[in-house]
Amino acid sequence: RQVLLQKRQFDLGMYKDACIRRRIAGRVRSRGFRQARAYLDLLAVDEEEVTALMSAMTIHVSQFFRNPSTFDVLREEILPEMFRRLRREGRRELRVWSVGCAGGEEPYSAALLMEQLLPPRMRYSILACDITPVVLEKAREGLFDGPRLAHVPDALRDRHFSLEEGRWRINERLRKKVEFATHNVLSDEPYPEADLILCRNVLIYFSRSDQARVLERFAAALPADGVLVLGRAETLSGSSREQFMVHNPAERIFFRRGCADR
């Protein structure tokens, strides 16, 4: 913890102890050490290993339209209604925030949805955040192995991707639609305002108290009727139960309550 805090300003103390111990042990074994002390000595002199250890703290394996039924609900129910609401309010931009975006599959999936559903004279913006800069650099490249696109319909793939030496690259126009930025939701950094927050399979690595704090800050970042999507193994906790109402319990989709509802 002290090494990462000093060298990368990344605090492991905010994460669940068992999860962190397991991942550190994996890095120790991968470098051929049996004792943690020898691995600590390596961290003192090897900056690349420090980066590798930090990357190991979060899961970066994903795919486009992961949990397809969640994206079905977004496509058929949530996004059309959100666009109608924006039009009633005289707004023309739908703001999406993808938290813990890893390799970019989730925010690019959101962009593909928007391209299918965007009404005339409407626009969208997508902010995609993760704590690991090297992962974000790969996400910006928009280059993916075939299995990552398993849930992408062929017609959509052929329209928005090109094949490059056996891998698929999402086209430049859509890459430019997604802004990638380093952000740690457990820090005191400000949360961006958003209409739709995708935070799937991130909270499971946090303590219960940190989950509650993050959810409260999500509520503050969303307008009334803004939408929060969590992972299948995640749910509301703390005061967030009063700030959100359930739209689809199976898909973990919630609406931000308005002031009159609280």
Side-chain angles (χ1 to χ4, degrees):
R1 176 184 177 183
Q2 290 173 349
V3 169
L4 288 183
L5 191 58
Q6 177 183 359
K7 292 179 176 287
R8 297 292 187 274
Q9 294 76 52
F10 177 62
D11 191 354
L12 290 180
M14 298 176 178
Y15 291 79
K16 290 181 179 177
D17 186 66
C19 172
I20 293 305
R21 286 178 179 273
R22 186 166 59 249
R23 295 186 187 185
I24 292 174
R27 287 306 307 169
V28 173
R29 290 193 302 270
S30 72
R31 295 307 302 262
F33 298 117
R34 295 185 178 182
Q35 300 295 327
R37 172 53 58 186
Y39 184 68
L40 280 173
D41 292 339
L42 176 67
L43 290 177
V45 298
D46 190 335
E47 289 296 319
E48 290 187 2
E49 182 57 31
V50 174
T51 299
L53 176 61
M54 180 173 168
S55 297
M57 293 302 104
T58 53
I59 294 294
H60 293 131
V61 176
S62 187
Q63 60 183 173
F64 282 81
F65 299 115
R66 182 179 182 182
N67 301 129
S69 57
T70 300
F71 283 93
D72 288 342
V73 175
L74 289 173
R75 178 188 298 105
E76 297 166 10
E77 303 173 22
I78 301 299
L79 289 173
E81 176 55 33
M82 293 188 81
F83 283 124
R84 286 191 290 269
R85 177 171 57 81
L86 289 177
R87 183 177 286 114
R88 290 195 301 268
E89 296 173 356
R91 293 176 52 200
R92 295 191 179 277
E93 181 178 350
L94 179 65
R95 303 162 300 179
V96 181
W97 181 22
S98 173
V99 182
C101 68
E105 292 90 338
E106 180 177 87
Y108 287 136
S109 295
L112 290 170
L113 272 188
M114 297 295 178
E115 291 297 308
Q116 299 173 71
L117 301 173
L118 194 68
R121 295 182 296 281
M122 279 282 182
R123 60 183 182 271
Y124 66 91
S125 62
I126 301 176
L127 175 64
C129 296
D130 203 275
I131 62 173
T132 312
V134 66
V135 171
L136 292 174
E137 283 302 314
K138 291 182 179 179
R140 290 186 184 97
E141 294 177 359
L143 192 61
F144 302 94
D145 295 328
R148 300 290 180 91
L149 278 69
H151 297 306
V152 179
D154 290 349
L156 203 60
R157 182 199 63 199
D158 294 342
R159 187 179 309 127
H160 297 289
F161 293 80
S162 59
L163 193 59
E164 298 183 9
E165 297 181 354
R167 305 182 74 194
W168 293 93
R169 189 187 299 276
I170 195 165
N171 66 42
E172 183 179 8
R173 188 177 67 84
L174 285 191
R175 292 203 306 274
K176 290 182 175 180
K177 290 286 188 178
V178 181
E179 176 188 356
F180 290 97
T182 305
H183 188 279
N184 183 352
V185 293
L186 291 178
S187 72
D188 293 329
E189 295 176 79
Y191 280 18
E193 293 183 349
D195 300 295
L196 168 63
I197 296 177
L198 303 170
C199 183
R200 302 191 302 153
N201 306 306
V202 174
L203 298 182
I204 53 174
Y205 301 109
F206 301 165
S207 67
R208 182 69 78 173
S209 61
D210 282 328
Q211 289 179 16
R213 183 166 63 90
V214 169
L215 288 166
E216 288 174 6
R217 297 188 68 189
F218 282 160
L222 288 165
D225 297 323
V227 177
L228 171 66
V229 184
L230 300 179
R232 294 281 183 84
E234 300 165 329
T235 190
L236 302 177
S237 62
S239 65
S240 65
R241 295 189 184 95
E242 300 175 0
Q243 296 169 312
F244 290 96
M245 57 183 177
V246 179
H247 173 76
N248 188 310
E251 304 301 339
R252 300 297 196 268
I253 298 176
F254 307 88
F255 280 105
R256 173 71 162 95
R257 293 183 184 274
C259 294
D261 298 323
R262 287 191 286 170

